Amino acid sequence: MDYEETLQYLYRQLPVFQQIGQAAYKPGLDNSLALDRLVGSPHKRYATIHIAGTNGKGSTSHVLAAILQRSGYKVGLYTSPHLVDFRERIRVNGEMISKEAVLEFTRKYLDASREIHPSFFELTMMMAFDYFAACHVDVAVIETGLGGRLDSTNIITPRTCVITNISYDHMALLGDTLSAIAREKAGIIKKGIPVVIGEAEGEVRRVFEEKAKEVSAPIFFAQESDVLRSCRYDKAGQWCIDSRDYGPLSYELGGLCQEKNAVTILCALRVLRQQGFTIRPDAVREGFAQVTSLTGLQGRWQQVHTRPTAYCDTGHNTGGFQYIVRQLSTIQCPTLRIVFGMVSDKDISGVLSMLPTTAVYYFTQAAIPRALPADTMQSKALERGLKGKAYTTVPEAYQAALQDSSPDDFVFVGGSSFVVADLLASL
């Protein structure tokens, strides 16, 4: 099989969460540990940093990887899901894994792993770990897939853990209260290993404190740190940060949520320095300012068109949309047009209740089985006072929004990572 045939085979033969949702989720570490034994525990050959959280873990992972890379380390980066190309999940110094390496790993281990019955995520995670070892990386930044305690990635013993925040998401699997979700995320906290918490209050904070105390892990709450002197949003759509440790920083990622992500990242850098990592001030400046070119990150308040101005964002739950809705409310334009779709297992009513009723909507669906049909979304939205037409594909909805727009209108595309993925693929 060639590369494309191999990839399609993996999609067909292995349960893929992004395609079918909960049915693909395999809680527990037995499969991951069995795969790890089969492949030879490659993650033990380099340092790791483990990142979890409901929102912001992708941005945090990419910026930390960019900073470490510019500090002179050879850096592996494992994230999910991908937006356009499967190989986005596995990068070394920003470069995607080669098609040849994907083929080589699959040929070597697919048949041998059949008795383990791995999920798509479990097998591709081990592909990443093995590739990082083959590339002789110094450190790998590993993002959890879902949760933490039972997430496949939780077989690693990292140098530092980061948990960005807790919000309602994947409640059928992680629990229906914030404290229950926090307990799952807290599962990545390990004995004696420092953990940085980006944002936590009340019962969520107590969950993290109790877990850290239980395993004697030093715990740092980023929101209480003094890493920022000030932070302001400039007219170019970027954050201008005055950091205590590195001076002025220009943050390329412009979403309103990125202010809190920046605090988490800067706090994590302090802990990494305590762990013996060399973090150069110029590398911090470059990592914040050039994260997309250094790591290939896409879909975070990303501009995709001018006249009309169009942005997309992968936010997909109420925690993410609290920032997106605030950002949209600051935009002055004749007409705000929103291309919108979600997957069926999210808090659709919760997100719809947050959206502006004054916008014109283009309801759509991503090209995956989990997507809520566009006409169903249209009906649910109408109940919330949101009006617009339904389109069966994201490119069709996006083109309709552009065609209806005057040059001064504003178009937003989002609701799901997979809606953004379909948009970027069409561009």
Side-chain angles (χ1 to χ4, degrees):
M1 294 187 290
D2 63 17
Y3 171 77
E4 291 298 335
E5 290 170 338
T6 298
L7 202 56
Q8 290 307 310
Y9 180 83
L10 292 176
Y11 280 130
R12 287 195 307 268
Q13 297 299 316
L14 304 179
V16 184
F17 186 90
Q18 71 186 70
Q19 296 287 335
I20 63 175
Q22 187 172 342
Y25 179 58
K26 294 189 174 185
L29 302 180
D30 290 347
N31 278 6
S32 293
L33 291 168
L35 284 171
D36 195 46
R37 289 191 292 271
L38 175 67
V39 180
S41 300
H43 60 90
K44 295 181 179 179
R45 299 176 219 169
Y46 42 84
T48 55
I49 299 166
H50 209 183
I51 315 286
T54 305
N55 296 302
K57 62 182 184 289
S59 298
T60 300
S61 297
H62 282 78
V63 176
L64 285 174
I67 291 168
L68 288 165
Q69 178 182 329
R70 296 305 294 162
S71 290
Y73 293 98
K74 193 170 189 179
V75 183
L77 176 62
Y78 176 67
T79 59
S80 62
H82 62 273
L83 291 178
V84 179
D85 189 327
F86 162 79
R87 297 178 301 138
E88 295 168 27
R89 295 169 179 249
I90 305 170
R91 295 179 183 269
V92 172
N93 279 5
E95 295 296 323
M96 294 188 295
I97 184 174
S98 67
K99 293 180 179 180
E100 291 73 21
V102 173
L103 279 170
E104 182 180 353
F105 179 89
T106 306
R107 288 167 181 160
K108 187 174 182 180
Y109 291 111
L110 184 60
D111 287 341
S113 69
R114 289 186 192 281
E115 292 185 5
I116 299 172
H117 302 293
S119 69
F120 180 86
F121 184 87
E122 288 165 337
L123 192 68
T124 54
M125 175 200 74
M126 196 54 60
M127 180 188 297
F129 290 179
D130 185 63
Y131 183 68
F132 296 156
C135 291
H136 304 289
V137 302
D138 301 304
V139 57
V141 179
I142 307 296
E143 180 192 57
T144 60
L146 193 157
R149 181 176 66 92
L150 300 177
D151 187 76
S152 305
T153 63
N154 206 27
I155 63 172
I156 65 175
T157 303
R159 295 278 292 277
T160 300
C161 300
V162 178
I163 302 174
T164 56
N165 54 48
I166 301 298
S167 184
Y168 289 106
D169 204 4
H170 299 296
M171 290 177 286
L173 301 173
L174 303 181
D176 58 3
T177 66
L178 292 180
S179 57
I181 296 170
R183 276 189 284 274
E184 291 300 315
K185 307 285 187 184
I188 72 166
I189 302 175
K190 296 183 175 64
K191 184 175 177 60
I193 295 169
V195 57
V196 174
I197 308 297
E199 185 180 3
E201 297 177 353
E203 182 59 29
V204 168
R205 181 189 175 106
R206 285 190 288 275
V207 168
F208 292 137
E209 288 175 330
E210 289 170 4
K211 178 63 176 180
K213 183 178 180 181
E214 176 190 330
V215 298
S216 301
I219 187 168
F220 303 87
F221 290 94
Q223 64 198 41
E224 297 175 1
S225 70
D226 64 349
V227 293
L228 283 192
R229 288 194 179 95
S230 65
C231 193
R232 64 178 177 82
Y233 202 54
D234 70 12
K235 292 182 179 179
Q238 293 187 342
W239 287 105
C240 296
I241 298 168
D242 184 8
S243 71
R244 191 168 299 276
D245 296 340
Y246 306 103
L249 304 171
S250 179
Y251 192 8
E252 182 181 18
L253 303 182
L256 292 185
C257 62
Q258 297 298 340
E259 180 178 9
K260 290 186 176 179
N261 287 341
V263 174
T264 303
I265 292 162
L266 290 167
C267 188
L269 291 175
R270 279 188 178 178
V271 175
L272 289 172
R273 285 162 57 192
Q274 294 170 7
Q275 291 289 299
F277 284 89
T278 300
I279 307 294
R280 297 204 317 259
D282 62 320
V284 177
R285 290 190 286 272
E286 292 169 7
F288 272 99
Q290 303 169 30
V291 57
T292 59
S293 60
L294 288 171
T295 67
L297 178 63
Q298 297 186 85
R300 273 62 173 187
W301 199 250
Q302 178 180 343
Q303 186 168 1
V304 291
H305 198 272
T306 56
R307 298 185 62 79
T309 301
Y311 276 75
C312 65
D313 193 275
T314 55
H316 55 269
N317 52 39
T318 55
F321 262 87
Q322 66 176 314
Y323 295 103
I324 291 172
V325 170
R326 274 176 51 203
Q327 195 137 18
L328 292 175
S329 70
T330 67
I331 294 166
Q332 297 181 350
C333 61
T335 305
L336 172 63
R337 303 179 187 276
I338 298 179
V339 178
F340 186 80
M342 295 184 71
V343 293
S344 57
D345 53 3
K346 297 295 182 182
D347 181 8
I348 295 167
S349 295
V351 173
L352 288 175
S353 68
M354 303 170 72
L355 297 177
T357 57
T358 54
V360 177
Y361 287 85
Y362 301 75
F363 301 108
T364 189
Q365 62 196 71
I368 60 168
R370 285 171 64 204
L372 187 74
D375 55 355
T376 305
M377 178 63 77
Q378 182 187 32
S379 298
K380 288 180 177 291
L382 187 59
E383 296 172 1
R384 299 283 181 174
L386 309 178
K387 298 178 181 179
K389 296 180 180 179
Y391 300 83
T392 54
T393 70
V394 174
E396 182 185 3
Y398 175 63
Q399 289 302 320
L402 292 185
Q403 289 168 8
D404 291 348
S405 295
S406 71
D408 295 326
D409 285 350
F410 189 95
V411 178
F412 172 75
V413 183
S416 166
S417 297
F418 308 112
V419 167
V420 172
D422 284 3
L423 170 69
L424 296 177
S426 72
L427 299 178

